[in-house]
Amino acid sequence: GDDEASRSVAKTALTQIINATFKRAFDAGSFDDAYDSATASATTTTMMTTDKEQNADDVLMLLLTLCKIAAREGAVDVDAYLAHSKALALDILRQLMDGPRAATWLEYFQVQLRQPLSLALMRNALLQVPRGAEAEASVGILVSIARMAYGSLSTRARGAYKQQVAALYPIMALHPLQSDDASTAMRVAALRLVRRLASDSQALVDIFVNYDCDLHAANLYERTAMALAGAARVSDVLERDAVLTCLFSILRSLQSWHARGNDDGSDGSADASSSEFVDAANDGFDGELMPAVS
């Protein structure tokens, strides 16, 4: 109807604005020093610096606005507008964090983004998914997107966001697998996250080295293995198979990492396509946002 058409037009306009903002910032070199100040005049250098700062400010304001919308509180199970707006903002953040320049801007804005981005991810990951209700799908989507976005953050900028990754990991991956009260949607979303991280041998080793080997950090790798071992005893066959797939991915990544040390030609990454449990939304962001992101 007219409402759906209006939403479609609004999504298209929003994605065009976001694409233009990031493109202008990237092309102008807001995150990379693409200008040679030694050969540029003083006036030109000043103008370039001003443009770079303005473009960076535009991108930061956009990111903070998306975080604010995604972090809104309210009854998302009965407020369709709130659920849709949160899902849209959160999914745009996820797509941007899957983008080719995500590691650069995440590190560039780490001071300003750590708190609002973590809050947006945490509030949506902690939503209670109603069982058997009509709102189960919409709330489950928020829970799932939050964990996918966290997975993107962990794979793209775990160094710059080390404390945030550690603080959010139990919420995202461990608690749903260890809790008897977690809904199926929360458990599946958690397993997808573990599967994604376990399929990347570099990420898996980094998690072990940066956390389990740090006396002042939580043992994320050890706790994950224990949570999966406990979750493998569930009665649901499909869920148990998904848990075993995660464990297999961990073993395969470790094997791949070991082979990497013996063969410099290996890329060290596990074959993520070997499991049907990989979510299609993890394919990545190709540099352009699509209008129907929610």
Side-chain angles (χ1 to χ4, degrees), residues 37-281:
S37 59
T39 59
S41 65
T43 302
T44 303
T45 302
T46 300
M47 293 177 60
M48 288 179 175
T49 301
T50 302
D51 289 343
K52 290 167 63 178
E53 291 176 353
Q54 182 60 54
N55 291 332
D57 289 342
D58 291 344
V59 171
L60 178 60
M61 181 179 67
L62 189 152
L63 292 169
L64 292 176
T65 301
L66 290 173
C67 289
K68 184 177 180 180
I69 295 174
R72 285 177 178 169
E73 294 184 287
V76 293
D77 55 336
V78 296
D79 190 338
Y81 174 79
L82 178 62
H84 290 158
S85 62
K86 284 167 65 70
L88 177 63
L90 196 60
D91 198 47
I92 290 176
L93 285 170
R94 178 195 65 79
Q95 289 191 65
L96 291 172
M97 285 193 289
D98 277 339
R101 303 293 294 276
T104 304
W105 62 259
L106 279 168
E107 183 174 356
Y108 189 88
F109 294 126
Q110 59 180 295
V111 175
Q112 300 95 328
L113 278 182
R114 281 171 177 164
Q115 193 274 339
L117 182 57
S118 298
L119 184 63
L121 298 180
M122 179 183 67
R123 284 185 175 174
N124 288 283
L126 288 175
L127 289 173
Q128 295 298 316
V129 181
R131 299 172 185 269
E134 293 183 0
E136 182 177 359
S138 61
V139 180
I141 287 174
L142 287 171
V143 169
S144 181
I145 297 176
R147 283 173 168 80
M148 287 190 291
Y150 172 80
S152 301
L153 177 66
S154 300
T155 55
R156 294 304 183 98
R158 52 186 173 273
Y161 293 78
K162 179 179 179 179
Q163 293 182 347
Q164 287 70 35
V165 169
L168 291 172
Y169 191 84
I171 296 173
M172 298 290 180
L174 301 180
H175 292 169
L177 300 179
Q178 297 171 331
S179 173
D180 295 332
D181 297 328
S183 65
T184 300
M186 294 183 68
R187 294 175 67 87
V188 168
L191 287 171
R192 283 177 174 160
L193 170 62
V194 174
R195 176 71 175 84
R196 178 178 182 180
L197 296 177
S199 298
D200 184 339
S201 61
Q202 183 64 57
L204 192 64
V205 171
D206 284 351
I207 288 175
F208 177 77
V209 171
N210 292 323
Y211 297 99
D212 293 56
C213 296
D214 187 341
L215 297 178
H216 303 288
N219 294 345
L220 301 187
Y221 176 86
E222 177 186 1
R223 293 174 64 185
T224 301
M226 294 178 63
L228 289 173
R233 295 192 292 267
V234 297
S235 57
D236 185 86
V237 176
L238 293 178
E239 187 174 336
R240 185 169 66 247
D241 288 346
V243 172
L244 295 176
T245 299
C246 290
L247 290 170
F248 173 78
S249 296
I250 292 176
L251 294 174
R252 183 161 186 167
S253 285
L254 293 178
Q255 182 184 32
S256 178
W257 180 263
H258 176 72
R260 185 180 185 179
N262 297 328
D263 181 7
D264 293 337
S266 172
D267 62 2
S269 62
D271 181 9
S273 64
S274 62
S275 172
E276 60 183 11
F277 202 68
V278 178
D279 191 276

